[in-house]
Amino acid sequence: MTDDTTGAPCEPGSQWYDHEAGPLVRPYAVTGGRTAPGPSGVRFDLIALVTLDPAAPAGDDPALGPEHRALVDLCRPETQSVAELAAGADLPVGVVRVLLGDLLERGRVTVSRPVPPAQLPDERVLREVIAGLRAL
């Protein structure tokens, strides 16, 4: 086997490095092989908003990994969408969804989901309300 970047032979069992990025960690290692967010089966849309739970314990949870802490730190200053968290943490969205499931189960974050289009008011009704307000 050879190193793809240098063409030099690789020894079996040696760590795999990207010389520009440093050591690489596979996404399944970050999530412990999980592909779905927790036993609750919560689904995180890309535009779902994640906020730190004000009732969350203040101390560090030793069960949380560095990626969990990075997501908490990104949510600390302001509410973030799942897509923004994935970009800010430089992690794949699937990994972020699994990690957010962990944080949600530990009571560290809250998630507000977008309103489904079927539940939004009809545009015609909104126009009639605006016309009625203008008539006042």
Side-chain angles (χ1 to χ4, degrees), residues 42 44 48-56 75 79-80 82 85 100 103-113:
V42 175
F44 296 97
L49 298 176
V50 181
T51 308
L52 285 183
D53 190 339
C75 289
T79 300
Q80 301 276 327
V82 173
L85 288 172
L100 286 174
L103 292 171
L104 185 65
E105 286 181 356
R106 292 191 188 311
R108 302 294 237 174
V109 297
T110 58
V111 179
S112 56
R113 288 165 185 79

Side-chain angles (χ1 to χ4, degrees), residues 52-75:
L52 285 183
D53 190 339
D60 247 359
D61 186 347
L64 296 180
E67 292 82 9
H68 291 100
R69 289 187 194 101
L71 294 176
V72 168
D73 289 341
L74 287 168
C75 289

Side-chain angles (χ1 to χ4, degrees), residues 1 11 18 21 32 35 50 61 64-65 74 87 93 120 125-127 131:
M1 180 179 359
E11 294 181 26
D18 178 345
T35 58
V50 181
D61 186 347
L64 296 180
L74 287 168
V93 172
L120 292 174
V125 172
L126 292 175
R127 290 189 186 281

